[in-house]
Amino acid sequence: MTSYLFLATLIAVFYLIYLYNGIIRGKNSCKRAWADVLTYSQQKLKVVSKIEEKTKEYKDFEESTLKTIVELRSRVASISKEKPNPGLLEALNKEMSKAMSALKVSVEEYPELKSSDLYMRVMKEVSEQEENVAAAIVIFNRNVEGFNNNIQAFPNVVLNKIMFKEETINSFKTQEAEKDVEFSPNLG
């Protein structure tokens, strides 16, 4: 009888370890996916710096647009991958959209720049980076869904409320993912 009790206790302990590790794996996957979203956003800004360099060659380029791009690049680079700040990224992406619009307007004034092969390639790469950000958001949402399901399904929900106390993570909504990155996960 004692050996059955010991065996049942041992199974229960291993089961708790298994559940806890699953929750931790899920949360870490969400954090990694969020880091990917940030990385792709930073890469997009690096590509924009190529446009910045090319447009510097044109004497009438607006200094404020140049200053905005440089500032945005440094602010995105300073976002922590360890402690997500999606509100800041959302604000920076809105500013980035405005700066890109200003760049496009500036480029319209310079036909030789607009037709430049470099400019065309860089704009294509910006578009690809935006697609990468969207793909990273899809992966992030998938990881968030798995994590949230894991902590909300029985029996994990009971154990989570008693022992682990992990909270659900917000995911991007479809409408928000189609725009620039306008989102606030609570990865804590």
Side-chain angles (χ1 to χ4, degrees):
M1 184 68 166
T2 308
S3 62
Y4 289 123
L5 184 59
F6 176 75
L7 184 60
T9 304
L10 190 61
I11 290 172
V13 166
F14 281 123
Y15 186 65
L16 284 174
I17 292 170
Y18 172 77
L19 292 178
Y20 178 74
N21 288 342
I23 289 172
I24 295 302
R25 273 190 301 276
K27 187 168 188 175
N28 289 341
S29 292
C30 291
K31 285 183 176 182
R32 183 184 63 242
W34 178 247
D36 289 345
V37 170
L38 289 177
T39 299
Y40 286 123
S41 294
Q42 290 170 349
Q43 287 175 350
K44 182 172 76 171
L45 282 171
K46 286 179 184 176
V47 170
V48 171
S49 70
K50 292 178 185 177
I51 298 172
E52 166 196 334
E53 290 168 14
K54 186 64 179 170
T55 53
K56 275 184 188 177
E57 297 172 12
Y58 293 84
K59 61 181 176 181
D60 294 329
F61 180 69
E62 295 179 27
E63 188 64 33
S64 63
T65 303
L66 176 62
K67 191 175 184 179
T68 301
I69 291 170
V70 171
E71 180 185 323
L72 284 170
R73 191 174 53 225
S74 66
R75 287 172 54 197
V76 168
S78 70
I79 295 176
S80 170
K81 288 183 182 179
E82 293 300 315
K83 189 167 183 170
N85 188 345
L88 177 59
L89 182 63
E90 176 184 343
L92 291 175
N93 273 299
K94 284 181 182 178
E95 289 180 43
M96 182 59 172
S97 292
K98 288 178 187 174
M100 287 298 295
S101 294
L103 263 178
K104 288 176 184 173
V105 167
S106 294
V107 167
E108 292 293 327
E109 295 175 15
Y110 305 104
E112 61 275 3
L113 174 60
K114 186 177 178 183
S115 63
S116 161
D117 186 45
L118 173 66
Y119 176 76
M120 300 301 245
R121 285 186 310 212
V122 170
M123 289 310 289
K124 181 180 178 194
E125 192 168 336
V126 166
S127 178
E128 289 172 2
Q129 291 299 330
E130 288 173 346
E131 290 173 9
N132 288 342
V133 170
I137 289 169
V138 168
I139 293 168
F140 175 78
N141 279 345
R142 190 175 311 128
N143 287 332
V144 166
E145 179 183 14
F147 173 76
N148 289 345
N149 287 343
N150 193 22
I151 66 170
Q152 292 175 326
F154 185 81
N156 297 17
V157 67
V158 175
L159 295 171
N160 186 49
K161 286 185 180 192
I162 294 170
M163 298 173 67
F164 310 135
K165 305 204 186 320
E166 292 290 342
E167 294 184 18
T168 59
I169 298 172
N170 296 329
S171 63
F172 279 88
K173 293 185 173 42
T174 306
Q175 293 173 344
E176 291 174 334
E178 291 173 1
K179 300 179 203 170
D180 280 331
V181 182
E182 295 182 19
F183 172 67
S184 294
N186 57 335
L187 292 173

